[in-house]
């Protein structure tokens, strides 16, 4: 069906944001499925007041709204929108044919009308019609704005080259835990990363490699110096470490990796050049941490008794004259959190008292349950970023205090999707009266539960879904497949107490084949690719989402805010 739309309209829609105001969760899901690959972003709201609020806060290009909604109906919301924007295209959806409603809509310059129940082809035709109208109205403005600029000017060419260089740096980094948690019989851990170069040519680099179900290798390198030389040394070292790990996963030996890395980098380093490096192996079965730290700041480990253990460097900076490497081992049986980081994190000046962030890092680490919380504290305190910043934040959830547990299993049907959404909303109504927090949790749940249903248990991949939508057979196919599907979806909700605050973890597990979460890294780097939008939205509306190693279970986090 998408192929029937004029190419110029398709091009325009891909840069547009669509606001869908609809109180039915099922209809919201239909809208998302119809439009997620057609427009840049789909913003949903559940009533007229919320729709108007999102219109004011977001950069909206098109509006589709229902007439019969709570708090503010469609006409009332449109009237408020028209006080701000008299020209934005609006499509009104209604199950009634009240002449008075139609007259009011026409007076408010409603662009098109749709009658419920909605028909996919009619919805798409309406979107195309109002888009053509908007394109015509903005023709002169659009002609004056060139989307693609030739790389004729020197500064444009340099910018282009910098983008290429940074893309290359990102390809050198390796993260086996991108949107993935560590889950085995010994451990249930959330592994998060923060990588913020000061310039495109970063002196920092990192990797996180899964050696086995029980062992994880962490690597952070900081080129001691600035500019191209430090960046090249760090990237070359990172590239070699990843290469040798790829070649030796079946026969991994920590000391062999260290000695081979040293042998490789020494001839490359200049006489006055050195590298600060963390080589760390965590064995979650043996509950040990092996490390060789070369002039890196102390790694932090937090025990279940809220004690901070500082793990200091056991080697000088790595340089071309380095000969011996020391390896140390520490017991981590009582450790619930880890923080590994580069010098740039602690050497930033803070906003007050002429201090450096090193004076605050332990306090902030101790009070942070997630990477996002720690990052917010860090970025709020520092005045101006003065160096590349890299850190790894690990939270072993299995060792945290669980105070509540709710579990329910659902069938793989569209009716069960609605049932699950209502069930989850009821749970959150008991957790908090904070509407925004409950809404965000509901958005994440709806997206990820739908993924478990359609992609997980029914086995519809993205390419097939797009094809079915184009042929207008998507929902017919869902109903056919679910009749033959006996797989279930299990939802587990836990409440965790940490530092006088409560956190809600939700785990959605299907019985499908799973998927390789590494594909998400490639999807999110390609700005032209519209796949994976549901995962991205879920990440933005939570403290983090994490798939299991198989890819058939996903956990997401929210923090209960203090009641006003």
């Amino acid at each position: 069906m998408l192929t029937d739309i004029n190419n110029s309209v398709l091009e325009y829609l891909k840069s547009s944001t669509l606001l869908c105001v609809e109180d039915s969760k099922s209809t919201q899901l239909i809208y998302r499925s119809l439009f997620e690959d057609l427009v840049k972003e789909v913003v949903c709201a559940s009533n007229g007041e919320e729709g108007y609020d999102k219109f004011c806060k977001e950069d909206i290009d098109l509006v589709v709204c229902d007439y019969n909604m709570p708090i503010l109906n469609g006409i009332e919301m449109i009237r408020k929108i028209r006080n701000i924007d008299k020209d934005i295209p609006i499509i009104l959806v209604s199950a009634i044919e009240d002449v008075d409603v139609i007259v009011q809509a026409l007076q408010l310059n409603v662009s098109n009308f749709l009658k419920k129940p909605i028909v996919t082809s009619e919805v798409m035709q309406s979107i195309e019609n109002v888009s053509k109208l908007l394109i015509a109205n903005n023709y002169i403005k659009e002609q004056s704005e060139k989307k693609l600029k030739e790389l004729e000017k020197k500064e444009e060419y340099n910018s282009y080259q910098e983008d290429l260089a940074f893309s290359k740096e990102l390809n050198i980094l390796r993260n086996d835990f991108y949107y993935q948690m560590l889950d085995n019989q010994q451990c249930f851990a959330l592994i998060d990363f923060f990588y913020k170069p000061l310039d495109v040519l970063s002196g920092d680099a990192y990797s996180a490699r899964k050696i086995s179900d029980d062992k994880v290798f962490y690597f952070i390198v900081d080129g001691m110096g600035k500019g191209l030389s430090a960046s090249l040394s760090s990237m070359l070292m990172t590239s070699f470490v990843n290469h040798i790990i790829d070649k030796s996963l079946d026969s991994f030996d920590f000391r062999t990796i260290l000695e081979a890395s040293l042998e490789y980098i020494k001839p490359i380093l200049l006489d006055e050049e050195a590298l600060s490096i963390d080589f760390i192996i965590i064995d979650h079965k043996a509950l040990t941490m092996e490390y060789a730290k070369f002039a890196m700041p102390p790694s932090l480990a937090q025990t279940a008794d809220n004690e901070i253990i500082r793990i200091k460097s056991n080697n000088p900076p790595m340089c071309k004259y380095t000969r011996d490497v020391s390896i140390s081992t520490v017991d981590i049986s009582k450790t619930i959190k880890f923080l590994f980081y580069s010098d740039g994190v602690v050497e930033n000046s803070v906003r007050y008292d002429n201090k450096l962030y090193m004076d605050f890092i332990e306090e902030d680490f101790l009070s942070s349950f997630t990477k996002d919380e720690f990052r917010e504290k860090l970025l709020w305190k520092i005045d101006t970023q003065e160096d590349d910043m890299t850190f790894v934040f690990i939270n072993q959830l299995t060792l945290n205090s669980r105070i509540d547990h709710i579990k329910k299993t659902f069938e793989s049907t569209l009716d069960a999707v609605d049932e699950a959404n209502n069930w989850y909303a009821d749970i959150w109504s008991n957790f908090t009266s904070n509407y925004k927090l409950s809404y965000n949790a509901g958005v994440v749940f709806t997206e990820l539960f739908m993924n478990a249903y359609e992609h997980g248990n029914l086995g519809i991949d993205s390419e097939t879904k797009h094809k079915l939508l184009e042929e207008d057979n998507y929902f017919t196919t869902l109903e056919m497949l679910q009749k033959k599907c006996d797989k279930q979806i299990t939802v587990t909700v836990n409440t965790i107490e940490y530092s006088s605050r409560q956190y809600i973890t939700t785990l959605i597990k299907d019985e499908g084949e799973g998927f390789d979460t590494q594909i998400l890294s490639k999807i999110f780097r390609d700005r032209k690719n519209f796949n994976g939008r549901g995962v991205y939205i879920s990440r933005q509306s939570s403290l983090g989402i994490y798939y299991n190693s198989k890819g058939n279970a996903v956990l997401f986090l929210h923090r209960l805010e203090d009641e006003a």
Side-chain angles (χ1 to χ4, degrees):
M1 179 172 293
L2 300 183
T3 55
D4 295 335
I5 298 180
N6 183 281
N7 287 335
S8 62
V9 175
L10 280 173
E11 185 65 20
Y12 168 75
L13 287 172
K14 281 189 176 294
S15 63
S16 302
T17 299
L18 173 65
L19 172 63
C20 297
V21 190
E22 168 62 59
D23 59 334
S24 166
K25 287 284 187 182
S26 296
T27 306
Q28 286 187 20
L29 287 171
I30 292 175
Y31 283 147
R32 285 199 183 278
S33 296
L34 286 175
F35 300 130
E36 64 179 355
D37 295 323
L38 187 63
V39 301
K40 181 177 72 173
E41 184 177 5
V42 179
V43 177
C44 288
S46 298
N47 58 65
E49 184 178 32
E50 183 186 332
Y52 175 73
D53 182 63
K54 287 186 178 292
F55 178 83
C56 294
K57 294 179 179 178
E58 307 277 353
D59 187 13
I60 303 299
D61 300 294
L62 302 168
V63 178
V64 176
C65 71
D66 191 23
Y67 167 72
N68 187 18
M69 295 184 297
I71 305 181
L72 286 180
N73 65 34
I75 293 294
E76 293 168 336
M77 184 197 74
I78 294 170
R79 183 172 289 110
K80 296 185 70 173
I81 288 176
R82 285 297 183 225
N83 289 333
I84 301 174
D85 190 330
K86 298 186 181 302
D87 298 318
I88 187 170
I90 300 176
I91 299 172
L92 181 64
V93 183
S94 176
I96 65 174
E97 297 180 348
D98 190 320
V99 175
D100 182 60
V101 171
I102 296 174
V103 170
Q104 291 183 67
L106 291 172
Q107 290 173 341
L108 291 169
N109 194 26
V110 167
S111 309
N112 216 328
F113 299 89
L114 287 174
K115 191 174 184 302
K116 281 191 171 182
I118 63 172
V119 178
T120 301
S121 58
E122 294 178 358
V123 175
M124 302 302 285
Q125 186 62 55
S126 294
I127 290 291
E128 181 176 12
N129 290 341
V130 297
S131 298
K132 287 179 178 178
L133 177 63
L134 194 59
I135 291 172
N137 290 339
N138 294 335
Y139 179 75
I140 296 177
K141 180 180 178 181
E142 290 182 359
Q143 288 301 305
S144 65
E145 296 176 353
K146 295 181 180 180
K147 295 182 179 179
L148 298 175
K149 297 181 179 180
E150 296 181 0
L151 300 177
E152 296 176 343
K153 298 180 181 179
K154 184 177 180 180
E155 60 184 42
E156 292 175 332
Y157 180 75
N158 288 341
S159 176
Y160 172 68
Q161 291 295 330
E162 286 180 353
D163 287 344
L164 288 180
F166 190 60
S167 295
K168 180 68 70 176
E169 289 181 5
L170 293 179
N171 284 340
I172 290 173
L173 309 183
R174 292 285 295 276
N175 183 353
D176 292 347
F177 294 92
Y178 192 83
Y179 278 85
Q180 187 181 125
M181 56 190 167
L182 180 69
D183 59 316
N184 56 31
Q185 294 182 351
Q186 286 76 35
C187 180
F188 188 51
L190 309 183
I191 306 173
D192 280 301
F193 306 84
F194 179 80
Y195 182 63
K196 188 174 175 61
L198 181 63
D199 300 306
V200 172
L201 297 174
S202 174
D204 275 16
Y206 80 91
S207 283
R209 308 302 308 276
K210 186 175 182 179
I211 305 303
S212 67
D213 289 341
D214 302 313
K215 290 185 178 182
V216 182
F217 172 83
Y218 299 98
F219 172 84
I220 300 177
V221 57
D222 181 2
M224 299 177 69
K226 296 187 181 295
L228 182 59
S229 177
S231 177
L232 281 174
S233 297
S234 294
M235 293 302 163
L236 285 169
M237 186 63 158
T238 306
S239 182
F240 177 80
V241 168
N242 285 322
H243 169 74
I244 196 170
I245 287 177
D246 288 338
K247 294 294 185 180
S248 61
L249 278 177
D250 294 335
S251 57
F252 181 87
D253 179 76
F254 193 29
R255 181 166 288 280
T256 299
I257 296 292
L258 287 168
E259 292 176 350
S261 301
L262 178 60
E263 181 182 356
Y264 169 80
I265 203 66
K266 282 171 63 174
I268 296 174
L269 295 176
L270 302 176
D271 288 347
E272 69 279 8
E273 192 176 11
L275 296 174
S276 295
I277 310 179
D278 268 350
F279 293 88
I280 297 171
I281 288 283
I282 293 184
D283 188 327
H284 291 279
K285 183 176 182 179
L287 298 177
T288 59
M289 171 177 146
E290 285 186 279
Y291 63 92
K293 293 173 62 68
F294 294 81
M296 284 289 269
S299 298
L300 302 182
Q302 178 184 340
T303 70
D305 297 326
N306 292 328
E307 177 189 356
I308 296 293
I309 299 172
R310 304 171 80 247
I311 303 169
K312 299 180 180 180
S313 289
N314 52 354
N315 292 280
M318 184 178 288
C319 66
K320 67 185 309 173
Y321 306 108
T322 301
R323 286 188 173 84
D324 300 322
V325 175
S326 295
I327 298 176
S328 303
T329 304
V330 62
D331 176 24
I332 61 168
S333 58
K334 296 183 179 180
T335 303
I336 63 172
K337 286 194 314 183
F338 297 93
L339 182 67
F340 313 133
Y341 55 95
S342 65
D343 272 330
V345 173
V346 291
E347 292 179 350
N348 281 283
S349 302
V350 298
R351 299 176 184 273
Y352 44 83
D353 293 341
N354 294 320
K355 293 183 177 181
L356 298 178
Y357 187 68
M358 66 175 62
D359 295 316
F360 301 91
I361 187 169
E362 292 186 18
E363 173 189 343
D364 286 350
F365 173 60
L366 186 64
S367 61
S368 299
F369 185 70
T370 68
K371 179 264 288 187
D372 281 2
E373 291 176 323
F374 179 76
R375 180 197 62 196
E376 288 172 6
K377 292 179 174 70
L378 165 66
L379 296 181
W380 183 86
K381 284 189 174 69
I382 66 174
D383 189 16
T384 303
Q385 182 179 349
E386 300 164 3
D387 198 357
D388 305 310
M389 296 194 297
T390 304
F391 70 74
V392 181
F393 189 104
I394 306 170
N395 188 342
Q396 299 196 115
L397 286 183
T398 45
L399 298 180
N400 282 287
S401 171
R402 190 180 71 191
I403 59 176
D404 199 7
H405 177 83
I406 305 170
K407 189 173 184 179
K408 188 173 176 64
T409 300
F410 299 90
E411 302 300 319
S412 296
T413 66
L414 279 172
D415 288 341
V417 172
D418 274 339
E419 178 191 354
N421 281 319
N422 293 331
W423 171 79
Y424 195 68
D426 288 342
I427 290 176
W428 270 89
S429 67
N430 294 323
F431 285 152
T432 181
S433 59
N434 185 320
Y435 172 77
K436 182 179 180 181
L437 181 58
S438 298
Y439 174 79
N440 284 339
V443 166
V444 181
F445 182 83
T446 299
E447 291 285 352
L448 299 182
F449 191 92
M450 191 66 178
N451 282 348
Y453 160 67
E454 60 178 356
H455 299 313
N457 284 352
L458 297 190
I460 301 177
D461 58 35
S462 297
E463 184 177 346
T464 302
K465 176 180 177 180
H466 297 162
K467 182 179 179 182
L468 291 171
L469 285 170
E470 289 181 352
E471 297 172 350
D472 203 13
N473 289 325
Y474 180 63
F475 290 98
T476 302
T477 303
L478 288 182
E479 292 175 355
M480 178 188 69
L481 291 176
Q482 69 186 27
K483 291 179 181 178
K484 304 175 183 178
C485 181
D486 59 357
K487 297 176 181 177
Q488 296 180 318
I489 302 171
T490 302
V491 181
T492 306
V493 181
N494 286 321
T495 307
I496 295 176
E497 180 98 28
Y498 182 86
S499 190
S500 300
R501 287 192 166 185
Q502 289 186 356
Y503 296 80
I504 307 300
T505 68
T506 304
L507 181 68
I508 301 173
K509 186 172 184 179
D510 60 63
E511 297 178 346
E513 297 299 321
F515 76 106
D516 181 4
T517 62
Q518 290 297 311
I519 194 175
L520 296 174
S521 175
K522 298 178 182 178
I523 288 174
F524 293 151
R525 288 184 194 175
D526 182 2
R527 297 178 183 177
K528 297 180 181 179
N529 197 317
F530 286 82
N531 293 334
R533 188 182 304 280
V535 176
Y536 179 79
I537 291 173
S538 300
R539 179 64 185 89
Q540 298 301 109
S541 300
S542 68
L543 285 175
I545 68 171
Y546 310 84
Y547 285 89
N548 65 349
S549 55
K550 183 179 179 181
N552 72 331
V554 60
L555 177 142
F556 59 91
L557 281 157
H558 287 90
R559 181 183 68 218
L560 291 183
E561 304 291 347
D562 297 330
E563 298 291 340

